[in-house]
Every structure is written in structure tokens, then in C-alpha cells.
Amino acid sequence: MKFDMGRAWNEATAMVGANKELLAVIAGIFIFLPNLALALLVPEMMTGPAEVNPEDPMAAFQAFYADNGIWFLLLGIIQSVGTLSLLALLHDRRPTVGEAIRTGLITLIPYIAAQILLVLGLSIVLGVPVGVAAGLGGPAAGVLVGLLAFVIFAYVMVKFSLVSPEMVIGANLNPITALRNSWRLTKGNSLRLFGFYLLLAIGVIVVGIVISMISGLFVAMLGQNTAGLLVGGALSGIIAAIWSVLIVCVLAAVYKQLAGPSAEAVSEAFE
């Protein structure tokens, strides 16, 4: 089946409109509130590291993420449950919020397992060649092979972009099978999907930069006190929630288009 970008976008926006109240509840619990809490627990999220050495600017950021890694890990887990729960809401059988959250919790471990398999595979297939090239051929060879590895990485991520909807909407909790089915569903449409995702990513990045600047401005104006952090964290949380809902709806629309109608959708059509 040839992937239709316009149809996918229209179906994604239609899903947002049809389920906005339920989507807002889950996005508020699992996306907005955790981001707001992180802004209060880790104020540097709004302003960046306090001291940056001009001679080694990356050292401050590495230390920052090392010191606060546990919070980012917890945020990632909570948001993963939220994302999977949002996907569950878009199932054709129309679950309740409680059922969707339960599905997200049940799917979390298999989803993490699939991500671990993907990371390990990419580390071996891409990381090892880049390291060998840099070690044997010097920095220039490392950069050249690194660029090639990036292209392959982008291709692979497109091929496995439907793992989460395959697990939730397709009710397939086997990590290996979910990875294989995502690869199969995207066959013949990788370039179109890449273009579609790229346009979406550009929008996310541009809006994210603008919101980060606005949040930082509020924190700078109000100071690193509770009021400033609340305003900045709330803005970041709202945007993160909105984009999470949109991206989930896009993935669900892409999956439903390429996988075809579910049994529930077919039965509804004949009722």
C-alpha cells in the first residue's frame, strides 16, 4: 500500500478532535504534570547549568545530566506509560481512560524490551564500524563513516517507528515480532514516511525552541523562585503534552493506514 501523507495527517487531526477530552486527561497526568514537577525539582532545566567553562562547555552539561539522571529516567518511564496509554485510547474498540492506562502499564515492559533490542542492534551495526574507522583511519574516516551511519540510523528508525502502535493497537506484546511487523508494514514507504516525519520534526523543533526561549524569559524575569519555575515549567509541560498527543495520533494514523482496518472497525462498518 502506498502511504498517503495527506490522509494520515487528516486522520491524525480527526483523532485529536474526536478524543480531545480523554487525550487531555492522560496527557495531563503523564506528560504535563511530570514536566512541571521536573522544572521544580531541577531548576537548571529552565536556565541551563549555572557555570559553564568556555574551554570545555560540554563538561558542565555532562555533569548536569549525570547528577540528575535519575529524574530523567523516571520522566522517561512515566512518559512512556503515558504515550502507550494515549495510543490505547485510539484503539477502535474505544476503551475508557482506566482501560487505556492499564494497557499502557501492561505494554511498558515489552516496549522497553523492544527499545533495548533496537539500541543494542544499532550499537553493534553502527557503533562498532564508526569506532573502528576512527581508530584505524583517524578522525576524517570516523566522520565519513559516522555520516553514513547517521543515514542508516535515520532509515532504521523510520522502519521501526510503528513498534509502539503495533504493540498497543495491534495487541502484539512480543518485542521481536513487533519489531519485525513494523519493518514489514513500512516496506515500500520508507522515503515517504521519512519525509512525513521530517516535516513533523521540524515543526516540533521550531516550536520547542520558541517555547524554551519564552520559558527561559519568564524564569529570568521572575527569578529562579517558585513563581518563575511554575510559569516556565507549565509552559514547557503544556507544549510537551500537546506535541505528545499530536505525535501519538500521527503514529496511530500511519499504523492504521498501513495495517488496514482492524476487526473492530470492520464489524462497526456492518452494524
Side-chain angles (χ1 to χ4, degrees):
M1 176 185 292
K2 184 178 179 180
F3 175 65
D4 187 334
M5 293 187 192
R7 175 185 163 192
W9 178 254
N10 291 335
E11 291 179 351
T13 54
M15 288 180 193
V16 174
N19 303 279
K20 55 182 179 295
E21 292 86 2
L22 299 180
L23 291 170
V25 171
I26 290 183
I29 295 172
F30 291 97
I31 309 297
F32 170 75
L33 288 179
N35 274 278
L36 178 58
L38 187 65
L40 296 175
L41 291 169
V42 188
E44 292 84 358
M45 282 290 297
M46 297 290 103
T47 60
E51 297 181 2
V52 178
N53 184 353
E55 297 181 358
D56 188 9
M58 292 304 298
F61 290 96
Q62 290 172 355
F64 167 70
Y65 285 106
D67 293 340
N68 299 286
I70 184 63
W71 299 116
F72 292 110
L73 176 61
L74 289 174
L75 179 67
I77 293 173
I78 294 171
Q79 290 190 335
S80 293
V81 174
T83 299
L84 297 170
S85 301
L86 288 170
L87 275 170
L89 273 181
L90 303 176
H91 197 286
D92 292 327
R93 63 180 175 83
R94 299 174 183 175
T96 64
V97 169
E99 291 172 339
I101 293 175
R102 185 161 56 250
T103 298
L105 290 169
I106 292 171
T107 312
L108 178 63
I109 298 302
Y111 175 73
I112 292 176
Q115 298 305 308
I116 291 174
L117 288 173
L118 181 57
V119 170
L120 289 175
L122 287 172
S123 299
I124 295 171
V125 174
L126 301 181
V128 172
V130 172
V132 171
L136 298 179
V143 170
L144 183 62
V145 176
L147 291 174
L148 177 60
F150 178 77
V151 173
I152 298 173
F153 172 80
Y155 173 77
V156 170
M157 295 308 292
V158 168
K159 298 297 292 181
F160 291 127
S161 62
L162 301 182
V163 169
S164 54
E166 169 66 18
M167 286 185 155
V168 177
I169 300 175
N172 182 0
L173 296 182
N174 185 314
I176 296 176
T177 305
L179 288 165
R180 184 170 63 243
N181 286 349
S182 177
W183 188 282
R184 175 181 57 82
L185 288 171
T186 56
K187 184 177 181 180
N189 291 293
S190 301
L191 188 58
R192 295 186 188 90
L193 286 169
F194 174 76
F196 186 53
Y197 293 152
L198 180 61
L199 290 174
L200 184 63
I202 291 173
V204 171
I205 291 170
V206 170
V207 174
I209 291 174
V210 173
I211 295 302
S212 295
M213 293 173 62
I214 295 174
S215 300
L217 180 62
F218 272 106
V219 173
M221 291 172 57
L222 299 175
Q224 290 193 36
N225 50 35
T226 303
L229 294 175
L230 274 173
V231 173
L235 283 172
S236 298
I238 289 171
I239 296 302
I242 291 173
W243 279 119
S244 294
V245 168
L246 181 58
I247 291 170
V248 163
C249 289
V250 164
L251 289 177
V254 172
Y255 177 80
K256 291 182 178 183
Q257 183 182 146
L258 296 180
S262 65
E264 289 84 355
V266 172
S267 64
E268 285 184 3
F270 286 96
E271 288 179 357

